[in-house]
Amino acid sequence: MSITVNILCHGQGGSAQAFAERIIASGTAAAIRAEDGNEAYEYYQPLDDPNAILLIDRWRDQESLDAHHASPMMAKIAELRDRYDLHMEVRRYADLD
């Protein structure tokens, strides 16, 4: 069973784009992709909203997602979200095989 979490981050003045660029440039995105159980971690820019970034984050199972959420990396991500003053809409989907 895979779990996909879509996180739509909203900011002002390009802050959502700057946040995603920082996550990628710092190596955080690569580190998350290397975590056991991660199947996808990708940012996308919605065509109709230049002040938003969509993260598609997919995990093998709940246990691997829980381990990711318990990692020190999550504190860094939360700090950056606050710094860039982002507001999130989160949707979660489970593939039941």
Side-chain angles (χ1 to χ4, degrees), residues 22-68:
R22 176 79 179 256
I23 293 287
I24 293 165
S26 69
T28 302
I32 292 169
R33 289 181 192 116
E35 286 184 72
D36 183 43
N38 184 266
E39 297 177 346
Y41 188 89
E42 298 294 335
Y43 286 98
Y44 297 91
Q45 176 79 52
L47 294 175
D48 62 348
D49 188 352
N51 290 314
I53 287 290
L54 173 65
L55 168 62
I56 298 178
D57 192 16
R58 190 171 63 244
W59 296 86
R60 176 183 59 227
D61 53 29
Q62 186 63 51
E63 291 77 20
S64 56
L65 179 58
D66 289 345
H68 169 65

Side-chain angles (χ1 to χ4, degrees), residues 2 6 8 11 14-15 19 21 23 27 31 41 47 49 53-55 65 69 75 78-79 81 89 91 96:
S2 289
N6 291 353
L8 186 61
S15 62
F19 165 79
E21 290 171 357
I23 293 287
Y41 188 89
L47 294 175
D49 188 352
I53 287 290
L54 173 65
L55 168 62
L65 179 58
H69 284 158
E79 177 187 331
R81 282 186 192 135
E89 295 176 39
R91 298 232 161 84
L96 304 174

Side-chain angles (χ1 to χ4, degrees), residues 83-97:
R83 183 182 309 167
Y84 287 97
D85 193 26
L86 299 181
H87 306 279
M88 302 179 308
E89 295 176 39
V90 179
R91 298 232 161 84
R92 176 188 161 113
Y93 307 93
D95 297 331
L96 304 174
D97 294 327

